[in-house]
Amino acid sequence: MKRRIAFLATMLLAGAAQAAPTPPPPCPPPPPKVFIAPMGEPFRSPGGGPDPVAAWFAGADTNKDGRLTLAEMAADADRFFTTLDLNGNGEIAPVEIADYENRIAPEIRLYQPRGWPGSGPYGDGRRNPREPRRAKNPRGGDDYGGELGAGRLSWLNIPEPVASADGDMNRGVSRAEFRSAASARFD
């Protein structure tokens, strides 16, 4: 009887050793965190790294009092304007805006959501009747599919924060227009 119990115990232990689960494959690293500041400057940190919002705020809060004033927001906008104005002529031209969109902050590129002209399976904005309808926008208004462009990565739903600072619609952004946009976004 003792032999039989010892044999069964040995078999159970051998079976348990064989049935041990294999460890799961390692998890991929977390994706990088991206924050687009109100004037459009991207702040990135590797996955699991420091908060990019804190990095922006630490740079913008020049007197380190834990609050952002309009003057500090304007100074931050001026600093970033200087970065964007590649030729130093005091205006961010369309070619410099393209450089911003393609090199500095490619995360903000706009993609045509369903329902916009040129989108959809028919190329004219009509939806596929077999495709389910999307839910209404929880913020109200038209169903545009949520935040677009930089709005997905920012506090403000502004799809292109640099080009949208063009107040007179001449396709260039002057320093005064950029400051005016900073003031409006601060409010």
Side-chain angles (χ1 to χ4, degrees):
M1 181 75 161
K2 286 184 181 183
R3 286 177 129 182
R4 203 175 258 174
I5 291 174
F7 176 75
L8 287 174
T10 306
M11 294 306 288
L12 285 173
L13 288 174
Q18 289 176 353
T22 59
C27 293
K33 297 177 191 174
V34 179
F35 172 69
I36 303 294
M39 295 311 297
E41 184 174 11
F43 287 84
R44 299 174 186 91
S45 70
D51 184 18
V53 175
W56 168 73
F57 191 85
D61 182 21
T62 55
N63 63 3
K64 307 300 181 207
D65 66 350
R67 297 177 184 203
L68 197 60
T69 64
L70 179 57
E72 289 171 326
M73 178 83 167
D76 188 57
D78 279 342
R79 180 193 54 77
F80 189 51
F81 182 91
T82 303
T83 302
L84 297 173
D85 186 15
L86 298 175
N87 60 7
N89 68 349
E91 181 170 274
I92 303 170
V95 69
E96 292 164 325
I97 291 173
D99 180 67
Y100 164 72
E101 293 171 353
N102 294 316
R103 187 182 58 83
I104 296 174
E107 299 93 345
I108 71 153
R109 290 187 190 131
L110 297 178
Y111 299 100
Q112 290 183 334
R114 285 174 271 143
W116 282 27
S119 67
Y122 310 109
D124 59 1
R126 292 184 293 151
R127 74 177 185 86
N128 183 341
R130 293 184 189 149
E131 185 177 85
R133 291 188 182 274
R134 295 180 295 170
K136 279 301 214 185
N137 178 3
R139 294 182 181 175
D142 294 333
D143 177 18
Y144 58 87
E147 289 82 7
L148 299 172
R152 296 173 293 131
L153 305 165
S154 181
W155 294 330
L156 306 172
N157 190 14
I158 302 172
E160 213 294 12
V162 174
S164 68
D166 181 14
D168 60 7
M169 307 293 265
N170 69 347
R171 298 184 60 221
V173 180
S174 68
R175 188 175 294 273
E177 288 174 321
F178 210 64
R179 284 183 187 150
S180 176
S183 175
R185 293 173 193 179
F186 180 80
D187 288 341

